[in-house]
Amino acid sequence: MSPIEMSPLPFLVDAARGAVLLGLALAVMPLLRRAPASTRRLVLVLGLAAAALVPVASRLVPAWRVLPVAELGAADASRPFAEPIGDAIAPPSVEPVSHAVVQAPSTQVALAKQSFPWGPVLLAVWALGASAVLARLAHGLAKARGIARRATPLSLPGITATLGEARMKARVCVSSEIDVPAVTGVFSAVVLVPREALEWSQARWRAVLLHELAHVRQRDCLAQIVGQLACAMHWFNPLVWLAARRLRMERELSADERVLASGTRPTEYAEHLLAIATSAARLREVPPGGALGMAEPSQLFARVEAIVRPHAGSLRTSAARGVAITASAAALLGVVACVTAGKEGPVAAVAANPSGSSASVASAPAGASIPTSASAVAVATPASLADLTAEVASVLGAPADRLELTIDRDIQTIVDEELKRMEDEWHPVAATAIVLDPRTGEVLAIHDPRTAAAPRVSGSTMKSLTIAAALDEGAIAVTDRFFCDKGARSYGKEILRDASPNEWLAVPQILALSSNIGASRIFDKLGGEALGRWLRRFHLGEAMRIQLRGAPVGEVPPVIADGSLRGGALASGHGGAMASPLQMAAAYAAIANDGVFNAPTLARRARGADGSVRFEHHPENERVLRPETARAVMGMLERAVSDEQATGKAARVQGVRVAGKTGTTDEESATGEPRAYASFIGVAPAEQPRFVILVGAVIATENATGGKVAGPVFARITARALGR
């Protein structure tokens, strides 16, 4: 089973959701103390049912990611969230590489450190506890059914009259195996009474039957099973046992209310209840777990008090109130099942800091193992490729030996070797690299699929999408010039800054110099609604259609205010929107492919055990940009590498036209240590794109930028891949 599939995070999330539902159900009990017991019973039944269903519901309904609002504080020139001008370095050249060099020698393979398998262990412990609870439930149901089968049916005039009064159908049987009245059966109810019931008065017979028939009317046997299922699902949570115990009390009080509503005097009914309880305490032949006993000693005092001193008001829950409570519970279940900080994915927030940098706290997707030290970034091994094959095959429901991956082994080796070289230089906390074929969407190489699929604030690589949207929308022209406020734009008391002061910049210069203020001016022309629409058109903010289990969903704000600092920062790539490296690479591939989008795929073809085709990739060729827009943006991306003042100069490859964009954004670790996500997304050759390559790394070292960290790695991968 893949690491994602066996992650402990889904179990913990489901446990938290169940705790929320059960806690809410118990929390409203004091507020409903003067309401009918039937109302409290209904709330508890719905709470337990929701807790039992939430693991299933959370996997069937769409996820609603909830993130803190991205607000940026006053910026400071000492740490601008902008790309500095790239340093000039000697670009690598394209040289033929033999396959003997491409293949990584087995003696140099570094295996990633295996973490403790918390997922399987937690699953085993949970399954053991759940099995014990379910076994007890099954034993109780079987025992109750056996008692009902062996019991002797009764047909007395008083019984027939009471059944007619209640307008209910049920078998009434006498049994020597119990000493208190009880009811069992979900679909065919059986009321069981002890042998001494043959000596009861007609008034006691009536009170007992009305009580047990109230349980039948309320489907309390079914509610008991639902409660036990919730206990099995959440046996480790004390709240579920408290709720189940409270339900036992409230269902008896609710049945008592129905008896009193029929005209029985409270004091007389209390006497009957005390007499039956006294007999039960003396003989102690209690009903089995699959039946509902009438007089549980631990509940006796509270029930007698409720009978002789009932609260004022109706003793019954109206139909309208029942419908309203049920509808509210269903809505609450839907909300709790949908809302997540990350649909089995990372939790990330964009927070203000004194420098004005966008600081995001991002964690790995469900099951991901983000390295905590540089030693965890390692060259891929045949075993890791086998793991990827197994995971993709599992997602597609096909045998692994019948799966054809899109991975090019030569390019994969190049990528892993260059990431290992970057590790030695920069010691990243986490790193990924992706090579896409923009014409088909095929993933030719991928280093660390977990990091590649984890949404995060992307940095200035987002500027290309903002400019493409504004051009295609007709909001701007390539020749337009924008005033960039000499490096500091005021939004009231807050300031948006650039790395260097600029006055008037044309659109290509805004991209080449990675001007945040220039991007914010373009955003002002485009508008918040259009920007959000275009980001979704690039398939950001939606679940990726890639064969990775548990691939999380990114985030595009539903509302982006026009002319706002938040909108300007989002358009610059510094907060408000989150996308995975895979999603960003796919968006750039659409630009490189003349404006035609193809979703990334790891599988080319998969067959079943019988040889039938289970999956076959066909490029969808979805047009997202006009061809002329895509070509214009490609021209600007070339300048973002080739211009002397460009931030992407380190990504140049000798003899090859390269188009691409750097990205840098500040992050914080879970313990608050500052770090940066440095990335570069490039296209090569720019005139006839063969590869879209993304390199991204989380670096704890100061002054790490996309141009310094990722650009050179992109250049080396490109040179080697083209020279094969």
Side-chain angles (χ1 to χ4, degrees):
M1 189 170 289
S2 70
I4 286 181
E5 192 174 357
M6 293 304 294
S7 166
L9 186 59
F11 306 133
L12 300 178
V13 171
D14 287 338
R17 288 170 171 154
V20 169
L21 293 167
L22 294 167
L24 289 173
L26 290 170
V28 300
M29 289 297 104
L31 303 178
L32 297 175
R33 62 185 181 277
R34 295 192 175 276
S38 55
T39 298
R40 297 191 295 274
R41 170 200 163 275
L42 179 59
V43 170
L44 290 167
V45 168
L46 293 174
L48 287 163
L53 290 174
V54 72
V56 177
S58 63
R59 286 155 179 79
L60 295 179
V61 296
W64 299 343
R65 291 202 58 202
V66 176
L67 299 173
V69 175
E71 295 294 346
L72 300 173
D76 185 278
S78 62
R79 292 182 62 193
F81 50 91
E83 292 285 340
I85 303 304
D87 297 327
I89 64 171
S93 60
V94 177
E95 297 179 1
V97 180
S98 68
H99 289 280
V101 175
V102 170
Q103 295 296 332
S106 59
T107 57
Q108 296 179 359
V109 172
L111 290 173
K113 183 180 179 180
Q114 297 294 319
S115 60
F116 185 78
W118 287 108
V121 170
L122 288 179
L123 179 61
V125 172
W126 171 84
L128 187 65
S131 299
V133 178
L134 291 175
R136 188 182 71 168
L137 173 62
H139 177 264
L141 291 172
K143 186 175 180 180
R145 186 175 181 180
I147 292 175
R149 187 171 58 251
R150 293 186 294 271
T152 303
L154 289 178
S155 180
L156 301 175
I159 294 176
T160 304
T162 305
L163 290 173
E165 178 186 351
R167 298 179 182 178
M168 298 283 295
K169 291 183 179 181
R171 284 196 305 133
V172 180
C173 302
V174 64
S175 173
S176 59
E177 299 180 63
I178 62 170
D179 289 295
V180 293
V183 63
T184 186
V186 175
F187 302 107
S188 179
V190 179
V191 176
L192 300 171
V193 294
R195 285 288 178 187
E196 68 176 21
L198 299 175
E199 302 175 4
W200 285 351
S201 65
Q202 186 172 352
R204 182 165 298 177
W205 265 108
R206 178 177 179 274
V208 168
L209 287 178
L210 288 176
H211 179 94
E212 301 305 324
L213 292 173
H215 286 311
V216 176
R217 188 183 299 276
Q218 296 175 159
R219 300 284 185 184
D220 279 338
C221 289
L222 178 60
Q224 169 82 351
I225 294 174
V226 170
Q228 288 302 300
L229 290 176
C231 289
M233 294 291 294
H234 302 275
W235 59 265
F236 48 84
N237 187 346
L239 293 178
V240 76
W241 299 103
L242 290 174
R245 179 175 180 177
R246 183 65 183 263
L247 175 60
R248 291 196 296 272
M249 168 64 79
E250 297 300 342
R251 78 182 179 214
E252 297 302 324
L253 292 175
S254 178
D256 293 341
E257 288 176 349
R258 287 184 177 270
V259 176
L260 297 178
S262 69
T264 302
R265 289 188 297 113
T267 54
E268 179 185 351
Y269 180 54
E271 290 174 1
H272 294 318
L273 185 62
L274 287 170
I276 293 170
T278 301
S279 175
R282 184 177 70 251
L283 300 174
R284 297 307 299 157
E285 288 292 337
V286 298
L292 308 183
M294 179 177 176
E296 186 176 328
S298 63
Q299 302 173 350
L300 194 60
F301 176 78
R303 288 179 61 189
V304 170
E305 183 181 31
I307 289 169
V308 299
R309 292 192 300 177
H311 295 301
S314 172
L315 294 178
R316 299 275 294 277
T317 301
S318 66
R321 177 181 290 181
V323 170
I325 293 174
T326 303
S328 300
L332 180 62
L333 171 61
V335 170
V336 172
C338 290
V339 172
T340 176
K343 173 81 174 145
E344 295 186 4
V347 178
V350 180
N353 60 57
S355 70
S357 302
S358 59
S360 69
V361 181
S363 63
S369 180
I370 293 291
T372 57
S373 66
S375 61
V377 181
V379 176
T381 67
S384 64
L385 189 58
D387 290 342
L388 181 62
T389 303
E391 181 173 339
V392 174
S394 173
V395 172
L396 295 177
D401 59 355
R402 299 295 184 94
L403 171 68
E404 182 182 349
L405 286 179
T406 60
I407 298 296
D408 183 306
R409 287 179 178 268
D410 292 346
I411 298 179
Q412 182 68 52
T413 300
I414 293 170
V415 165
D416 291 328
E417 289 177 350
E418 293 301 338
L419 265 290
K420 181 64 170 66
R421 179 174 170 180
M422 181 182 70
E423 173 217 352
D424 294 337
E425 181 179 358
W426 289 98
H427 308 290
V429 176
T432 188
I434 304 159
V435 181
L436 286 180
D437 183 339
R439 298 161 296 185
T440 63
E442 292 185 352
V443 179
L444 304 178
I446 184 168
H447 183 95
D448 192 350
R450 314 299 178 259
T451 302
R456 62 189 337 119
V457 178
S458 300
S460 293
T461 52
M462 186 69 70
K463 290 184 174 80
S464 306
L465 306 188
T466 299
I467 290 173
L471 286 172
D472 213 273
E473 190 82 4
I476 64 170
V478 175
T479 55
D480 286 351
R481 292 166 59 82
F482 294 91
F483 185 64
C484 294
D485 298 81
K486 297 183 180 180
R489 181 182 180 184
S490 297
Y491 288 84
K493 295 182 179 180
E494 297 172 312
I495 301 174
L496 180 67
R497 293 188 185 275
D498 276 343
S500 57
N502 297 291
E503 295 189 356
W504 290 93
L505 294 178
V507 176
Q509 292 174 303
I510 289 173
L511 193 61
L513 299 179
S514 200
S515 170
N516 297 320
I517 297 173
S520 72
R521 295 293 186 189
I522 293 174
F523 165 73
D524 292 344
K525 291 282 189 178
L526 178 61
E529 183 277 330
L531 177 60
R533 171 164 44 82
W534 273 96
L535 294 182
R536 295 182 187 92
R537 191 166 178 175
F538 279 111
H539 296 278
L540 275 57
E542 67 177 39
M544 287 187 301
R545 293 166 287 172
I546 194 166
Q547 301 84 14
L548 288 174
R549 194 174 299 280
V553 181
E555 173 75 9
V556 174
V559 178
I560 305 171
D562 292 346
S564 64
L565 172 60
R566 185 189 183 199
L570 189 157
S572 303
H574 298 284
M578 297 180 66
S580 70
L582 268 168
Q583 288 175 314
M584 292 300 294
Y588 271 65
I591 297 172
N593 195 31
D594 230 20
V596 175
F597 178 89
N598 287 304
T601 181
L602 285 162
R604 188 173 289 123
R605 189 177 297 104
R607 295 184 180 273
D610 58 357
S612 61
V613 177
R614 294 287 182 86
F615 172 84
E616 190 165 22
H617 174 63
H618 297 286
E620 55 207 71
N621 294 323
E622 176 195 353
R623 178 160 295 284
V624 295
L625 290 172
R626 290 178 292 142
E628 55 269 28
T629 301
R631 293 168 197 154
V633 177
M634 279 293 292
M636 296 185 213
L637 289 171
E638 273 199 78
R639 290 190 57 179
V641 175
S642 62
D643 279 8
E644 284 307 311
Q645 296 299 308
T647 61
K649 288 194 297 183
R652 295 172 183 172
V653 178
Q654 186 175 343
V656 178
R657 287 172 56 188
V658 171
K661 183 70 187 79
T662 55
T664 309
T665 186
D666 290 343
E667 294 186 353
E668 286 184 359
S669 68
T671 55
E673 288 90 358
R675 57 195 193 185
Y677 174 63
S679 65
F680 183 86
I681 310 177
V683 182
E687 69 276 16
Q688 192 173 0
R690 288 177 54 192
F691 305 125
V692 170
I693 301 174
L694 179 145
V695 178
V698 179
I699 307 291
T701 308
E702 290 186 3
N703 301 319
T705 66
K708 292 179 180 179
V709 176
V713 181
F714 164 88
R716 294 194 297 267
I717 292 173
T718 301
R720 293 180 64 183
L722 291 174
R724 290 183 305 143

